[in-house]
Each structure stands twice: as structure tokens, then as C-alpha cells.
Amino acid sequence: MKVGFIGLGVMGQPMALRLARAGTPLVVWNRTAARTAPLRSAGAEVAADPAEVFARADVVILMLADDVATDSVLGRATPAFTARVAGRVLVHMGTTSPDHSRGLAAEVRAAGGRYVEAPVSGSRVPAENGQLVAMLAGDDTAVDLVRPLLAPLCRETFLCGPAPNALLMKLSVNLFLITLVTGLSEAYHFAEQHGLDRRLFLDVLDAGPMASGVSRMKAPKLHARDFEVQAAAQDVLKNNRLIAEAARKTGIASPLLDVCHALFEETVTLGYGDEDMVAVLRAIESRTADGVRG
């Protein structure tokens, strides 16, 4: 069974590389062709366009930035859509709105294909190390087919029922992640502004009950002012918007998320959208500076 993989960004490239190195017969495509070079070296075939991926694969994994990119690759609302998805399993691993996924699932089924949501929890480093956590939703037979294919990528996979439950689960997890990293960044800034030994602060944090895999990954980045991307601030803002939209539609209060939303908007506006999500520290620092100037 040949697997197609479309979308070789910050997350997609290391994920596809793990599949290729695990021996999965893989055909890939990416809008920026240069990002396919490591995949070719790892034994994957490189397609000329998305249509070729669908023509040559039984299962096609999409790891794309948003609903617009996803719909474009699929040729949605064009005659190409049915030709691409009919008889294939489409695995949607990107993060889009639950409503978008619900509609896409119905259209894939109507066109004779099968659909699986498979968003993941984790950033670039877990993707490189095969330590992602996947949430799966869709028809049972399709999920059963896809689950073992994801083994090289994931340390655990969870069955969430019908679509869009996997995306709703991902958004729930991301709400916690966003507030957690924002809180860590603010605490670090508070300690620094009071003249505390920043290394000592991180050691105390790491020894206590608040320590976590996230704090152990992000705290050293704050200390080193290392803003190299693991999860980009602009992507976090996109996720924040999706969560807020889902909350508003169902009348759910999200006070902490709303504060984080404003801070990540400021981070992106300040020009740091391409940096790691710990760049939210820059927005917090900017507010402090504005307060001092005021």
C-alpha cells in the first residue's frame, strides 16, 4: 500500500521523513519544492503536483496549514475533487475548524472515499523523535487502516469517535498548551524583572510539581532567548482563533484563552509570528515597557 504525503512544513517534513525511514512506500509533494529534497534522499518518490500523489497512492496524508490550503490541494468544489478522493483514504492531520472537517468528511464519503481526522499533539522536536500523540476520528474501518501507519510518528494514538471529535479534542488540548506556555513566559518575565537569578528560577520550577514536558522544553528557550521555531507564534494564533470560534458558537466562556489571544495577536503584530510560541514573551515585555514609559 503506497502512502501519499502532502505538506512538508515545520511538522510535515520530519513526519514524512520518519515514515520514509521506517520503510513506508511514500510519494510526496510540497508547494516549496526544495523541502522535498530530504525525502528524496530518504527513498521517497517526489510527485510533480498533488494530482500525481492521489493517482499513485492508496492513502493520502495531508499536513497543511489551513482550510484554504487543504481545499486547494484537494481541488474541492472542482471536478478534480472526486477523481482525487474516490477509492482512497484521506487522512487530515492539519488543524482546521471542526465545521470545515465535518463538511469535508461528508464530501469525501459522497465522492466514494474514506476520511480520517488525525490531528497530533506535539511540536517539531516530538515530530522528529516519533513522540507525537495522535487523535483519530472517522469510520472504524478507515481508522483501523490508518492507525498502524502512524506508528513511526506517534508514541500513542487515541480513538475519539466520529469526525470532528478528533479536532475538537485537539483544540481542547491546545487551549491548555496555549495558556500553559503563556503563563510560563509571564512567570519568567516576572522573575527576571524582579532581578532574580533566572537559572535558579528555572531550577526551582523544574524541581516542583508544576514541571512538565512542556516546561522542560520551553523554559530553556526562554532562558537562552532562543526563538527558533518548534511551534510558530502565528500558528498558535491560528489555533487560538479556531478555539475561540468553536467556543463562541456553543456559548462557552474562555477567559484565559481570550487574554492569550490578545497577546499572540500582539506578538504577530510586533513582527515575531515566524518565531517559536515562547516569543509571546516579547509581547509581555512590550507591555511592561509601555507601562514604564507611561
Side-chain angles (χ1 to χ4, degrees), residues 28 83 96 102 116 118 132 229 243 270:
V28 304
T96 60
R102 184 185 289 110
V116 175
L132 297 171
V229 170
I243 301 165
L270 287 167

Side-chain angles (χ1 to χ4, degrees), residues 215-265:
S215 69
R216 288 173 178 141
M217 181 178 294
K218 297 302 186 185
K221 290 178 73 64
L222 288 167
H223 187 251
R225 294 189 72 84
D226 169 17
F227 299 111
E228 182 182 358
V229 170
Q230 293 172 342
Q234 62 189 1
D235 292 334
V236 174
L237 178 58
K238 181 200 80 170
N239 277 266
N240 205 314
R241 288 171 174 159
L242 291 174
I243 301 165
E245 177 185 301
R248 299 296 171 265
K249 284 188 174 181
T250 47
I252 298 170
S254 55
L256 290 178
L257 179 76
D258 295 344
V259 172
C260 295
H261 196 164
L263 283 166
F264 276 96
E265 281 188 331

